[in-house]
Amino acid sequence: MEMDLPNFRGMSLDAWLQANGMTGDQFIADLHHQADDVARESLALDALARELKVEVTDEDVDNEFKTAGVEDPEATKERFLAEGRMPAVRDSIRRSKAVNWLVENAKVSEVDETAKDAE
């Protein structure tokens, strides 16, 4: 769950803010809002993963590094281990499994009329 950060395309922050009609305070407030949303989503997915008793296997971790598009997955994994970053990887995998469960088990009860009309 990445934050939707602006694309500056070589612009300074001040120029980007001016071009988008924002003040620095509005920009910072928006970042705080996005960070709050990400934190809430992570907490909700963590709670669901606990409820579902989601497990992250060593094979899951290996696959995560193999599909990450890095040049040397094993060396990258070793670096993450050495830097103590593996818990974050496992948390990310656990949340992804919770999202997958939600997608597979969601029952749509409300129709987006705008999207329906576009079809």
Side-chain angles (χ1 to χ4, degrees):
M1 298 179 199
E2 291 182 13
M3 290 182 20
D4 187 22
L5 295 176
N7 183 350
F8 293 106
R9 296 184 184 192
M11 299 172 95
S12 70
L13 176 58
D14 288 336
W16 185 89
L17 289 172
Q18 186 174 15
N20 286 279
M22 291 181 80
T23 67
D25 288 341
Q26 289 170 323
F27 179 71
I28 296 298
D30 187 51
L31 287 178
H32 283 282
H33 177 73
Q34 290 179 48
D36 287 346
D37 287 348
V38 168
R40 274 192 280 283
E41 290 169 7
S42 294
L43 289 171
L45 291 172
D46 289 345
L48 177 60
R50 276 192 307 278
E51 180 68 23
L52 297 173
K53 296 178 177 36
V54 171
E55 298 289 331
V56 177
T57 66
D58 290 341
E59 183 179 341
D60 291 330
V61 172
D62 290 342
N63 287 336
E64 186 74 13
F65 282 94
K66 287 176 186 170
T67 60
V70 294
E71 190 173 311
D72 187 346
E74 196 57 39
T76 304
K77 180 181 167 188
E78 291 302 318
R79 189 172 64 249
F80 271 62
L81 280 167
E83 294 170 356
R85 295 169 40 192
M86 199 55 71
V89 172
R90 288 183 173 278
D91 287 345
S92 177
I93 295 168
R94 191 172 292 107
R95 289 177 188 134
S96 291
K97 286 184 171 190
V99 167
N100 291 341
W101 182 90
L102 283 171
V103 169
E104 291 169 8
N105 293 282
K107 292 185 177 33
V108 178
S109 61
E110 192 171 310
V111 177
D112 180 346
E113 294 298 328
T114 305
K116 186 178 176 184
D117 291 343
E119 294 176 349

